[in-house]
Amino acid sequence: MRAFIEGVGLLGPGLAGWKESRPVLAGLLPYRPAPAPLPPSPLLPPAERRRSVPTVKLAMAVGAEAMAQADRDPAGVATVFTSSSGDPDTLHQILETLASEDRGISPTRFHNSVHNAPAGYWSIATRSHAPSTSLSSHDESFQAGLLEAMAEVAAEGWTVGLIAYDLPYPEPLHAVRPIAAPFGMALVLTPEPTGRSFARLDIALSDGGGPPSRMADDALEALRAGNPTARALPLLAALARVPARGAGETVVLDLPPGGRLLVTVGAP
C-alpha cells in the first residue's frame, strides 16, 4: 500500500512539535529530554475544554499540528485514533472510586473512560462528520493504526489523519503496565501526491525482515522502547531525513506474532 504525507504532528519529552523536533530526529541536533506540556486545546468549546483529560489534550495537540501543516480543514478528513490504553488517569480514578465505600462515578469520568473519547472531542472541536475509527492493539497499537489508515487511503481513496497517543499510568497500575512518558504523533495521509506532500510511504507485511528498527540515540531509544506510540520514532526519523536522501529508507516495525511491517520512506 502507498500513501503520501502532507503533515506531521509530534509531542513528547524534548520533542515539542514537528518543526522543532525534525533536526533532532534527523541527527543534526542533540536530543535533550524535557517535560512535554499538555495544554487544553483552543479548538474545543470552553465546556469541553474544562472536561478534557490528558489523553484528549495530547491527541488534539498532535492532530491539530498535522492538519495545520497539511493546510487541511479537519472537518473533511477521515481519522484513525490509536492508543494502547486510553486515558490512564481516568481509569485509575474510576478503579480507585470502585474500591472505596462511595462508588458513585461522575458522568464526566465515565465518558472520558471510553476508548473513543478523543475521537468524540475531535469531532466536536472540528465539526467533523468524516469517518472515524478508534482502535487498540497493546504494544502494537501504533502499527495497527498505521495499517488501518493506509488501508483506508488505499481502498477508499480517503485523506486520513492518523492520531496516536499513550501516557503513563499512575501507581499502582504503573507497576504492572509501565509507560515511560507521554508521547503522541499524527500523520496526514493522502492517496495521491499534492503540492504539500513531502514524503511517500510504501508498506508491506513480512514474516521476516530483521529486527525492529531502533534509534541511534540512547535516550530516544529508551523512549521508543518505553512508550507504545513511540514505536513510531524510527519512522519519524526517516521522515525527518527525507530531503537529505533521494533513495528510499526502510523502517522495520514489530507486528506480532512474529511478523514485521516494512515501511519504505521516500521523496514524493
Side-chain angles (χ1 to χ4, degrees):
M1 293 184 287
R2 171 171 288 183
F4 297 85
I5 305 288
E6 285 188 344
V8 182
L10 178 60
L11 184 58
L15 301 168
W18 174 244
K19 181 179 178 180
E20 296 81 355
S21 304
R22 194 170 182 177
V24 175
L25 295 174
L28 302 176
L29 292 176
Y31 173 59
R32 303 186 189 282
L38 296 176
S41 174
L43 296 176
L44 286 167
E48 280 72 24
R49 200 179 308 154
R50 287 192 299 271
R51 288 195 289 262
S52 63
V53 291
T55 303
V56 171
K57 294 175 183 178
L58 180 56
M60 293 289 296
V62 296
E65 182 189 9
M67 296 293 172
Q69 184 183 332
D71 196 24
R72 290 273 180 179
D73 179 358
V77 178
T79 49
V80 173
F81 288 80
T82 182
S83 174
S84 74
S85 52
D87 191 74
D89 286 346
T90 297
L91 178 58
H92 168 80
Q93 290 159 356
I94 288 176
L95 292 175
E96 193 173 52
T97 299
L98 292 175
S100 70
E101 292 184 1
D102 181 8
R103 299 184 178 183
I105 297 171
S106 75
T108 298
R109 288 265 186 264
F110 178 76
H111 86 240
N112 281 328
S113 73
V114 298
H115 197 71
N116 64 346
Y121 280 92
W122 179 265
S123 67
I124 292 170
T126 63
R127 303 178 184 274
S128 175
H129 295 275
S132 184
T133 300
S134 295
L135 55 84
S136 180
S137 186
H138 195 56
D139 282 347
E140 289 71 48
S141 293
F142 164 71
Q143 294 92 308
L146 179 61
L147 266 177
E148 173 66 24
M150 293 286 288
E152 292 182 7
V153 170
E156 306 293 344
W158 295 338
T159 294
V160 179
L162 169 63
I163 302 175
Y165 43 91
D166 273 303
L167 295 99
Y169 283 98
E171 293 290 3
L173 295 175
H174 181 77
V176 293
R177 176 60 173 160
I179 294 177
F183 188 90
M185 60 81 64
L187 300 174
V188 176
L189 306 161
T190 65
E192 300 292 338
T194 69
R196 295 180 296 273
S197 303
F198 73 93
R200 183 191 75 248
L201 296 187
D202 291 287
I203 71 169
L205 300 174
S206 173
D207 292 333
S213 299
R214 289 174 166 79
M215 302 299 291
D217 182 275
D218 289 343
L220 283 172
E221 174 56 21
L223 177 59
R224 185 202 71 83
N227 183 303
T229 295
R231 305 296 195 273
L233 275 170
L235 172 56
L236 293 170
L239 288 172
R241 291 188 288 263
V242 163
R245 297 191 177 187
E249 178 179 353
T250 298
V251 174
V252 181
L253 301 174
D254 247 337
L255 206 63
R260 295 288 187 267
L261 186 61
L262 307 181
V263 186
T264 301
V265 180

